Amino acid sequence: MGFELRDHTADVAVAATGDSLEAVFEATADGLAAASSDDIPPETGERFSLTVTAERREALLFDYLGELIYLRDVRAELPVDNRVESIEATGAESDTDATAWSLEASARGVPLGAVDAREVKAVTYSEMRLESVADGWEAYVVFDV
């Protein structure tokens, strides 16, 4: 599991991998945190929970990352140490036929005053990719900075 920041014209992209869907969501969210700050203090900030729902798996990733950016702005805390406890598909017999997706997650909110944070404005659908591969999952997400 991991992520890699990649240069992107006027934006920043995160390429993430994970051995499960939850792990690749976590890695992508950790990539968002890394794009926001080079130095995140350990053990600073309290954990908070969040729930996200969407109609498609890719939209769930988009909405999850968008919610983290929104919570950063509202709470004045950078979400780090992201954990995705569960991702569930509902409304069909298989993941490909699902009519709804939901995610339960948590993050540690580091006060923005404790980090030298760069503003990541938004997540984009530009070049977004989320796919199952032989050894897990891969995601590629571009953020507007």
Side-chain angles (χ1 to χ4, degrees):
M1 173 174 85
F3 66 86
E4 177 183 340
L5 297 179
R6 300 212 176 147
D7 290 330
H8 192 276
T9 308
D11 296 320
V12 65
V14 173
T17 60
D19 57 2
S20 67
L21 190 56
E22 291 84 358
V24 79
F25 273 54
E26 288 175 2
T28 307
D30 288 341
L32 169 60
S36 300
S37 180
D38 293 328
D39 189 28
I40 299 168
E43 310 306 319
T44 303
E46 300 293 321
R47 290 204 74 76
F48 62 90
S49 297
L50 64 146
T51 301
V52 178
T53 59
E55 292 180 1
R56 295 180 300 113
R57 186 173 32 223
E58 293 79 7
L60 185 66
L61 178 59
F62 180 91
D63 290 351
Y64 170 54
L65 298 169
E67 183 71 6
L68 291 174
I69 292 169
Y70 169 77
L71 291 171
R72 178 209 60 206
D73 293 345
V74 169
R75 297 171 60 105
E77 296 176 336
L78 180 63
V80 300
D81 296 336
N82 297 280
R83 295 182 194 153
V84 176
E85 283 84 27
S86 67
I87 295 176
E88 295 182 10
T90 58
E93 303 232 350
S94 72
D95 288 356
T96 57
D97 297 331
T99 58
W101 289 83
S102 63
L103 169 148
E104 296 289 331
S106 66
R108 180 169 55 92
V110 175
L112 290 178
V115 295
D116 184 20
R118 294 179 291 279
E119 183 178 9
V120 175
K121 296 176 188 174
V123 59
T124 73
Y125 273 113
S126 174
E127 301 178 49
M128 185 178 193
R129 192 177 90 251
L130 177 64
E131 60 190 13
S132 176
V133 294
D135 58 347
W137 287 85
E138 293 180 351
Y140 185 83
V141 179
V142 176
F143 295 97
D144 181 22
V145 292

